Amino acid sequence: MMKTEGEMWVCGSCGAEKPREADGESGMVTTEGQQEGEIVDLSESEEDARPTTEAHCPECGNDRAFWEMKQIRSADESETRFFTCTECGHKWREDDH
């Protein structure tokens, strides 16, 4: 990330320098003058935001589960759908028998 030092842009990693240009900087977004935002913990609400579907849990018999798709094989094969029971948290795959 480049930072300003007087009339130069200076890379914080390697120290490379580049002269500043007022015309080019007019459209840039900087962190200068910005207020720090409040950090919000979404960990509890995150689980409720996942999509659910009708799926029978093999452990407790519940009929709702969170689901997600993951590519676990090569790219030319279809994704695998994973379920997590909304009641007991048991996890299983769509192709498990």
Side-chain angles (χ1 to χ4, degrees), residues 26-37:
S26 64
M28 290 183 177
V29 176
T30 68
T31 57
E32 192 172 303
Q34 293 181 356
Q35 296 178 352
E36 284 191 33

Side-chain angles (χ1 to χ4, degrees), residues 3-96:
K3 298 180 182 193
T4 58
E5 287 186 9
E7 295 300 314
M8 300 294 285
W9 284 102
V10 180
C11 176
S13 298
C14 70
E17 295 184 354
K18 180 179 175 183
R20 293 180 65 180
E21 297 175 13
D23 292 338
E25 293 178 24
S26 64
M28 290 183 177
V29 176
T30 68
T31 57
E32 192 172 303
Q34 293 181 356
Q35 296 178 352
E36 284 191 33
E38 179 183 350
I39 298 174
V40 179
D41 181 11
L42 297 177
S43 57
E44 289 183 22
S45 64
E46 199 173 277
E47 193 167 294
D48 297 335
R50 293 184 293 171
T52 61
T53 188
E54 188 173 319
H56 179 78
C57 175
E59 289 290 312
C60 71
N62 181 39
D63 65 350
R64 295 293 306 158
F66 298 112
W67 64 274
E68 62 183 314
M69 302 288 281
K70 289 186 181 180
Q71 186 72 37
I72 60 172
R73 295 180 290 251
S74 62
D76 63 340
E77 297 199 31
S78 63
E79 294 178 309
T80 301
R81 189 156 62 155
F82 290 88
F83 297 99
T84 303
C85 178
T86 57
E87 285 294 316
C88 71
H90 176 70
K91 297 180 181 189
W92 72 98
R93 296 177 4 174
E94 187 169 55
D95 59 1
D96 285 347

